[in-house]
Amino acid sequence: MKPRALLLNVAVGLIGLIVLFPLLWMLSVSFMTAGEAATFPPPLLPKSWTLDHYRDLFVTQGMGRYLWNSFALASLATGLALLFTVPAGYAFAKLGFKGRDRVFQILVAALVVPAQIGTLPLFLMLKGMGLVNTYAGALVPWLASIFGLFLVRQYALSIPDEMLEAARIDGASEGQIFRRVVLPTLQPIIVTLALFVFLGSWNDFLWPLIILTDQSNYTLPVALAALSREHVQDIELMMAGAVITVAPVLILFLALQRYYIRGMLAGSVKG
């Protein structure tokens, strides 16, 4: 190996180690006995490994309920987002209708507006509809995102018009074309969008904190924040809760990363 390539690999390895170190230490601390992580200097590995903190979270703190809440909400948010966003993105890319480009420009311009600005109006609207402290209210912000619409639209522009016209000449309806031609072509960007929505809804803290008032409806981030107020000194317990929160989405991302990378690379050069 050439010296330049060797130095580059060493540098990449060091950067990767620096990025991974907090996650690895978090995992290590979650197996330490109570109070062990508070010593100075902080130990890298447990003196004696224990699962007491994980047992406490699931048996005493009811973490299983919050884990299910997060999984259910993230799965529903992903399914609903794909249901609304994918057809809309395809329509903006390949179906002609009056004002299409102007509407799309307005939507893209709205991307610069912080989402937090609409939090209060949305909460008041849902309160008037009786959707506060319901999963339906927690799902509303994920029904259709402008970023997801933009992502699907840019990728759908790569679909040849000739392929769609050939399907129409063969007598296929627009619904059949979408199901049999468009959806298989959009698979990489659909997986990418699904990952974005699932990770975003799983990690979302602000909106569930606002809209879900009953503790039994809490998601993992909200439950972990509430737990930290009661166990502020229990570093090992908090780290165990963080591992439970991070591990599912990390495993999901690693399993689907090749689709994610393919979708992002392809979508970045279309349009």
Side-chain angles (χ1 to χ4, degrees), residues 89-228:
Y90 165 70
F92 275 107
K94 292 299 180 179
L95 300 182
F97 54 89
K98 186 177 180 180
R100 181 190 69 177
D101 295 337
R102 179 62 63 184
V103 171
F104 183 73
Q105 291 171 358
I106 295 173
L107 290 174
V108 172
L111 282 173
V112 302
V113 180
Q116 290 79 5
I117 292 179
T119 299
L120 180 58
L122 181 59
F123 175 80
L124 295 176
M125 184 186 305
L126 295 179
K127 182 179 179 181
M129 299 170 62
L131 294 180
V132 173
N133 196 33
T134 65
Y135 290 159
L139 290 171
V140 168
W142 301 101
L143 293 182
S145 69
I146 300 175
F147 175 75
L149 178 64
F150 174 80
L151 203 64
V152 175
R153 188 254 187 188
Q154 295 304 106
Y155 193 94
L157 288 173
S158 65
I159 301 176
D161 293 333
E162 295 79 7
M163 184 169 62
L164 302 178
E165 289 299 329
R168 294 187 181 102
I169 293 174
D170 289 339
S173 64
E174 291 298 330
Q176 291 173 328
I177 293 174
F178 181 73
R179 293 192 304 271
R180 299 179 182 179
V181 178
V182 175
L183 285 182
T185 307
L186 295 180
Q187 181 187 11
I189 207 64
I190 290 175
V191 175
T192 302
L193 178 60
L195 274 175
F196 270 125
V197 176
F198 191 92
L199 295 178
S201 57
W202 180 280
N203 295 322
D204 190 20
F205 172 76
L206 179 61
W207 183 246
L209 177 65
I210 294 173
I211 199 70
L212 300 175
T213 58
D214 190 348
Q215 185 173 350
S216 63
N217 293 331
Y218 281 178
T219 58
L220 274 176
V222 179
L224 192 60
L227 188 64
S228 66

Side-chain angles (χ1 to χ4, degrees), residues 55-66:
R55 190 178 300 110
D56 184 18
L57 286 173
F58 283 97
V59 175
T60 307
Q61 307 298 336
M63 192 60 67
R65 172 69 180 180
Y66 307 133

Side-chain angles (χ1 to χ4, degrees), residues 35-43:
E36 186 176 346
T39 59
F40 186 84

